[in-house]
Amino acid sequence: MPALVVAGAQWGDEGKGKLVDHLARQAHVVARYQGGHNAGHTVVINDEKFVLHLIPSGVLHEGKLCVIGNGVVIDPACLIEEMDGLINRGVKIGENLLISENAHLIMPYHMALESASESSMGKKAIGTTGRGIGLAYMDKMARTGIRMLDILDPKLFRERLRPALDNANRLLDALYGAPAFELEEVFEKYTGFAERLKKHIGNAGFVLNKALREGRNVLIEGAQGTLLDIDHGTYPYVTSSNASAGGACTGLGIGPTMIDAAMGVVKAYTTRVGNGPFPTELEDELGECLREKGGEYGATTGRPRRCGWLDIVALDHAVRVNGLSGFALTKLDILDGLDTIKVCTAYRLDGVTTREFPPDAATLERCQPVYEELKGWKDSTSGIKKLSDLPVNARKYIEWIEQRLGIGADMISTGQRRDELIIVKENFR
Ligand code: GDP
Ligand code: IMO
Ligand code: MG
């Protein structure tokens, strides 16, 4: 199986980092296709915790080629900081990081514009991570963006930077009365980044296609999740890229016929950071309890994550949008000890029961969850590595989800650590 996509099936933070780290053992190449340093992917090895933002979560296995695809937006200062942080902790990067020359850059004015825009929106703010992600994608689509290859050529860079920066400065001043950026200052800073990164910048699409043609295992890592996808999520409370599996083709420069499988990462309950509708949210003690027990605080911003029950309507949408061939269930251990577990199987909308996930945030906001109650389990599942060792009701919970979604659980995660995992089906050989 040469190419496998791993995508978040909910609102992000499902545990993609941990799963990608596991699958990377059997992969030759690990590639990120979208998003930026809004992502925070955690891998825990023994008692050491790594949080990756831009570099694929395969980097902790020596010798894997890690690719940052053209669909990713890169803040070079953050990327360099991440590289140095890993190197200082003994992780070898060497020649094994390849950054697409077509990837767009996050510029300082993107962050300034986003921060001013979010502040001006008051209660209607998206609740972004404040990393300039949306503004960088805006420039990309407006064809005024700056790509990796642009900063390698000082003359070209200056030519592209001047109109983009002038435009951003005019917007900052006119809309928000915010201070302007100096061209030379930005130019110098980014030319310095280019010097550091240039040996890693190249034709990532070509390299990936070559690897695939040679039959190498390519593991494709998504960031965020399906419900944050710009097209298929809870618009406008979404991120600005195609986080679902479809983004893998355009974000890496590979064709759909190269992708053999798509695995959705599903947390055993639901979380969301930032604003927007969340039908199964628990705004009570139980929600607080899941947050504390699950350590549900953002890996990037530290914000508390909103917590709630599993939502089958939303997951069913994720199965369709991603064409999921299987899923990995994470954080099962966090549900240990509950008498009953509720699962949302439908929504009530204007007096009608529906199993269709609505296309916009305003409609979803009006949906009331319809719950089914399942029996919980008292025994701990923490660290269990064999399916047969799970409490009967935990197994029933998994089987129930499999039946509802019509796909199987390939992996079940029972703890933070790398080895706290049940493998039902190996995706790479
Ligand atoms: P990602 O963005 O999808 O990679 O997920 P994050 O790293 O942002 O958040 C997932 C959090 O849950 C991290 O702190 C992980 O270490 C942790 N985690 C992942 N799987 C499990 C699990 O099965 N059990 C527990 N208790 N924690 C887990
Ligand atoms: P990982 O990859 C969870 C959310 C933000 C906000 C919305 C838009 O770790 O799962 P943005 O800064 O992207 O413009 O913010 O998306 N968001 C995430 N939520 N996990 C993430 O990444 C996220 N990346 C962005 O909180 O609601
Ligand atoms: Mg995360």
Side-chain angles (χ1 to χ4, degrees), residues 12-16 38-42 51-52 224 298-300 305:
D13 302 326
E14 299 91 347
K16 297 175 290 296
N38 48 352
H41 296 177
T42 315
V51 180
L52 300 152
Q224 289 80 57
T300 296
R305 295 174 182 154

Side-chain angles (χ1 to χ4, degrees), residues 189-209:
K189 211 165 148 190
Y190 276 66
T191 311
F193 296 146
E195 198 48 45
R196 170 73 196 273
L197 294 175
K198 69 180 178 199
K199 75 166 189 178
H200 297 288
I201 301 172
N203 190 339
F206 184 84
V207 172
L208 281 168
N209 277 289

Side-chain angles (χ1 to χ4, degrees), residues 8 11-16 32 34 36-42 52-53 114 118 126-135 222-225 228 236-241 271-276 299-301 303 305:
W11 276 290
D13 302 326
E14 299 91 347
K16 297 175 290 296
R32 262 280 299 272
Q34 45 68 238
H37 67 310
N38 48 352
H41 296 177
T42 315
L52 300 152
H53 299 286
E114 178 177 316
E118 280 280 281
I126 309 286
T128 69
T129 58
R131 303 295 196 260
I133 306 291
L135 273 290
Q224 289 80 57
L228 287 171
Y237 297 97
V238 291
T239 191
S240 300
S241 63
T271 61
R272 163 160 219 178
V273 211
N275 300 331
T300 296
T301 58
R303 291 180 291 175
R305 295 174 182 154

